[in-house]
Each structure stands twice: as C-alpha cells, then as structure tokens.
Amino acid sequence: MQTVDYLIVGQGIAGSVLAWTLRQRGYSVRVIDDLRPSSSRVAAGICNPVTGRKLSKTWLADDLFPYLHQFYPALEQELQASFFYPIPVYRPYQSIEEQNFFIAQTANPVLEGYIRLAENNEAYAGLIHNALGGLETLQAAWVDLPTLLSAIRKILVQEDSLVETEFRWEEVVPGLDFVTWRTYEARQIISCEGAYGRFNPYFSWLPWAVVKGEILTLQLPEESVPGIVNQSVWIQPQGAGVYRAGATYEWNDLTWEPSEKGRTYLTEKLNKLLQVSYQIQQQVAGIRPATQGRRPFIGLHPVYRSIGIFNGLGSKGTSMAPFLAKQFADFLVHTKELDPEANIQRFHSLYFSKINE
Ligand SMILES: Cc1cc2nc3c(=O)[nH]c(=O)nc-3n(C[C@H](O)[C@H](O)[C@H](O)COP(=O)(O)OP(=O)(O)OC[C@H]3O[C@@H](n4cnc5c(N)ncnc54)[C@H](O)[C@@H]3O)c2cc1C
C-alpha cells in the first residue's frame, strides 16, 4: 500500500487547483485522470465579475476576484508559464434603454470598482456595431486553461503524483478514517470529475443541471481590440486576428461533439454584432458541471466521510476554483466552516430520502 494524504479524481481546473492548494500546504496528493473530453480543455476561461443584461454581480465576487488576481500570477511564476490575462469586458449598449440602465448602474455602490463608462469606444468601432458607446467591466481576466492544466500536469508527472487511468468508483473501499483505492490508502478521496460527477454513485443524488456549451474560433481582419466584447455573445481577442466566440447553452443534447445547431446560433449572433466578415477555424463543445440553484457542490459525503466532492463550478470554474479550493482545503485540514451555499450539507436530506426509498 502507498499512503498519501489525498486522492483527487479529475485534473480539470477544479482538481488541478485543489491538488495544487493542498500540495502547497505540504500534503501529498495523487491525481487520477484519463484525459477524456473535459470542460476545462474547451472553456474560454473568462473571469467576469458582472454578467447578464441586469449587470448582476457574481456570487462571492468580492472574495473571488481579489483572490484570483493574486493566485493565478503566483501560479504562473511557480510553473514558469504564461496563462493569466487581465482584460476588461466591453459591453456595447444595445439600445437607448440599455444605455440609460447601464449608465445609472455606474452609481450603484454594489458595483463600485467593477464597472465604468468606456472611454475608448473608437478602439472597437472597426470591429463591431457600437454607435451608442459602451460600458467596461473591470477586474475581469481570462485564463488560458489548456496551458495551465498542461503545466500542472507536467509537475504532477515529475513528482510521480499523477495516475493516468480510467477511474472506477467500484474500486474504492471507504473506511472510517481512510479510504483505499487499488494500491493507495488516503485520508480522503475527492471527486473533481466535472460533468461526469453526475454518474458518480456516491453523489448522483445531488441536483445536477449540466449544460453543454460550444465555442467558435474565428479569423478576423481586425488585429485585436483592448477588451473582450460581450453582447449576448462574447468575442475574446487572442492576438493576430484570432478570436474565440461563444457560448451556447444546451440542456438536451449532452454529447461532447460540436453541433450544427450551436454553430448556427453563434453565427446568427455574430452576424449582428460584427461589422467585418470572418472565417470559422474551429468549433469545440464541452459540458459544464452546472447545478440547480447555480451553487457549487463542495463537502463530504453524508455517511462516507472519507469521500468528498469539489464540483458544480458551472460556467464559472475559472473564477471560483482558486478561492473555493482554499476554503475547501481549510475545511479538510482544519475543519473550518465551508460556505453554507456551497456545502453539499444543504442537500443531505435528498440523500437520506433516496436511500430510504
Ligand atoms: C463552451 C464552454 C465555455 C466555457 N467558458 C467558461 C469561461 O469563459 N469561464 C469559466 O470560468 N468557465 C467557463 N466554462 C465552464 C468551465 O469549463 C467549468 O466551470 C470548469 O472547466 C469545470 O472544471 P472541472 O474541473 O470541474 O471539470 P472538467 O474540466 O470537466 O474536468 C473533469 C476532469 O475529470 C476527469 N475525469 C472525470 N471522470 C473521470 C474518470 N472516471 N476517470 C478519469 N478521469 C476522469 C476528466 O478527464 C477531466 O480532466 C465553459 C464551459 C464550456 C463548455
């Protein structure tokens, strides 16, 4: 038997950031991942503190955003890699009504430090229709997730902390103070399986609401713009005239393959937003590990306390993972409180009613 502190199933952004956080505190981890299609490998990695037509502030934004702005740059240094790009989100007004509403919101104290009137509207004018001007969301950024995941994977391989294999929960034997899996014994095993988590026999009772998303990669004549543009679709400059555009939300077709429907939806939106012609270079799809109630699933199994979950990050994994991994590590190691809105304890009654059926 090999003894480690934590076994982590899944090396998407959730498993990677949790493993890194525990490793930084001196705990030994083994991350198990078989490189199947994942949400993190296709996501745009945008961290946006204010979203939607009502300019809603992201849940826990005042904690998440200061934390991620120090977490990712520090991780870049440690991994000797570049993947964190602070950049505003530009919101061109769609109508006079929206302009009035957005301008009024710049005086809303809840959004102070998160939004301001854009002063560089002309920088976008060659690319999109923005005759009415626009608003800028501050503290936003995007994370190049494939680069981050590959850099962490490399370290895990070097340290013999990655097990590349298909994981099956039938091979897990939960004990009171420890858990075993194949030749490993650990104090806890944590499920970070993304949307596959809904098939996990220990957590299938949670109210999952996974949602497929698709993204296009475009080649545009315009070199670059200073921000991510967001007007019912977003376009994200990658440099040299390459942009990513997305995303769709699809609850019925839960396959990992791109679809004609997704492509049509995005191109119709882009044709309205863009002033210029474009070529589609690539189309990708993934399944977001979203939940009913839009709050994460974090905590320990109601009965098998050596089995935990860090999942349900929905469409905001890049923003949520760093701060929530810190909170979960504090919970695992020091039994500090988890945010009650994230703690799966809120659904324990669902588990007990299911086993009593
Ligand atoms: C089109 C699209 C756009 C998105 N854009 C954004 C965005 O701009 N910003 C943002 O924050 N979020 C975005 N998201 C959401 C984001 O992708 C998720 O919040 C995040 O990636 C979830 O990470 P995860 O680690 O929980 O799951 P995943 O990334 O899916 O990782 C799960 C991992 O578990 C492994 N795994 C699962 N089961 C097993 C098993 N049995 N054996 C071995 N390995 C296993 C998989 O190989 C995978 O590596 C987007 C998602 C999509 C689909």
Side-chain angles (χ1 to χ4, degrees):
M1 272 291 166
Q2 294 183 61
T3 304
V4 292
D5 291 314
Y6 297 99
L7 289 166
I8 292 177
V9 187
Q11 200 240 324
I13 189 66
S16 297
V17 171
L18 181 63
W20 194 261
T21 302
L22 290 165
R23 177 191 171 279
Q24 291 296 81
R25 294 176 185 215
Y27 294 97
S28 54
V29 296
R30 287 290 182 284
V31 181
I32 305 145
D33 191 284
D34 63 1
L35 281 180
R36 64 185 62 198
S38 89
S39 192
S40 304
R41 293 258 170 203
V42 301
I46 299 170
C47 306
N48 187 3
V50 180
T51 57
R53 297 188 77 165
K54 293 193 173 147
L55 298 181
S56 309
K57 189 154 111 178
T58 295
W59 174 66
L60 291 185
D62 296 341
D63 294 315
L64 303 182
F65 281 80
Y67 193 75
L68 74 85
H69 276 279
Q70 54 106 9
F71 176 86
Y72 286 118
L75 189 60
E76 281 184 314
Q77 288 244 310
E78 282 163 315
L79 298 173
Q80 294 290 296
S82 300
F83 44 74
F84 183 63
Y85 303 97
I87 184 172
V89 175
Y90 178 70
R91 304 281 307 263
Y93 308 128
Q94 299 197 54
S95 62
I96 296 285
E97 292 71 36
E98 188 171 86
Q99 183 187 43
N100 289 337
F101 175 69
F102 280 16
I103 291 173
Q105 288 305 304
T106 58
N108 181 347
V110 172
L111 297 177
E112 194 183 341
Y114 289 108
I115 57 171
R116 71 171 177 212
L117 301 182
E119 289 170 358
N120 56 352
N121 293 299
E122 64 293 342
Y124 297 89
L127 184 73
I128 56 162
H129 298 286
N130 66 339
L132 296 172
L135 187 88
E136 253 181 357
T137 305
L138 310 173
Q139 298 193 44
W142 73 275
V143 180
D144 175 351
L145 287 173
T147 300
L148 181 160
L149 297 181
S150 299
I152 289 199
R153 197 173 185 96
K154 196 171 144 198
I155 303 281
L156 293 173
V157 169
Q158 276 168 11
E159 296 182 350
D160 202 19
S161 297
L162 187 88
V163 187
E164 196 166 322
T165 186
E166 181 187 353
F167 183 85
R168 290 190 292 120
W169 283 95
E170 302 82 70
E171 294 177 298
V172 170
V173 183
L176 272 184
D177 299 319
F178 61 90
V179 57
T180 59
W181 171 73
R182 295 192 186 169
T183 57
Y184 289 95
E185 182 177 291
R187 45 170 97 180
Q188 258 132 359
I189 186 165
I190 313 293
S191 161
C192 301
E193 300 160 282
Y196 302 97
R198 67 196 193 280
F199 305 123
N200 177 329
Y202 290 97
F203 294 109
S204 55
W205 47 274
L206 287 167
W208 298 90
V210 303
V211 51
K212 178 174 176 174
E214 299 188 45
I215 293 182
L216 302 175
T217 303
L218 312 176
Q219 180 69 51
L220 299 182
E222 196 74 13
E223 274 295 302
S224 196
V225 286
I228 295 165
V229 178
N230 187 355
Q231 193 193 66
S232 76
V233 278
W234 47 256
I235 53 170
Q236 178 194 32
Q238 308 265 294
V242 176
Y243 290 74
R244 298 188 86 197
T248 62
Y249 284 79
E250 166 64 52
W251 286 266
N252 296 317
D253 161 22
L254 293 177
T255 61
W256 290 84
E257 281 78 45
S259 70
E260 197 53 49
K261 185 179 168 194
R263 192 181 181 98
T264 305
Y265 173 90
L266 290 173
T267 51
E268 280 176 5
K269 298 266 181 194
L270 287 168
N271 294 344
K272 283 190 193 142
L273 176 63
L274 292 172
Q275 298 230 29
V276 293
S277 57
Y278 57 89
Q279 284 178 335
I280 298 174
Q281 291 187 328
Q282 201 192 15
Q283 181 178 0
V284 291
I287 304 181
R288 305 172 183 90
T291 68
Q292 290 172 32
R294 296 176 175 205
R295 294 289 180 266
F297 293 154
I298 304 179
L300 301 181
H301 189 276
V303 172
Y304 305 105
R305 306 300 281 173
S306 55
I307 300 182
I309 185 165
F310 185 64
N311 204 329
L313 302 184
S315 55
K316 298 195 173 174
T318 325
S319 306
M320 288 187 186
F323 179 78
L324 292 177
K326 172 182 154 319
Q327 203 178 70
F328 192 35
D330 286 340
F331 168 85
L332 290 172
V333 175
H334 305 297
T335 56
K336 281 195 187 165
E337 284 287 300
L338 272 179
D339 190 305
E341 284 191 70
N343 195 335
I344 56 164
Q345 204 167 1
R346 69 196 191 278
F347 296 122
H348 280 184
S349 59
L350 293 180
Y351 172 76
F352 290 111
S353 52
K354 192 172 170 197
I355 57 165
N356 288 328
E357 268 170 14

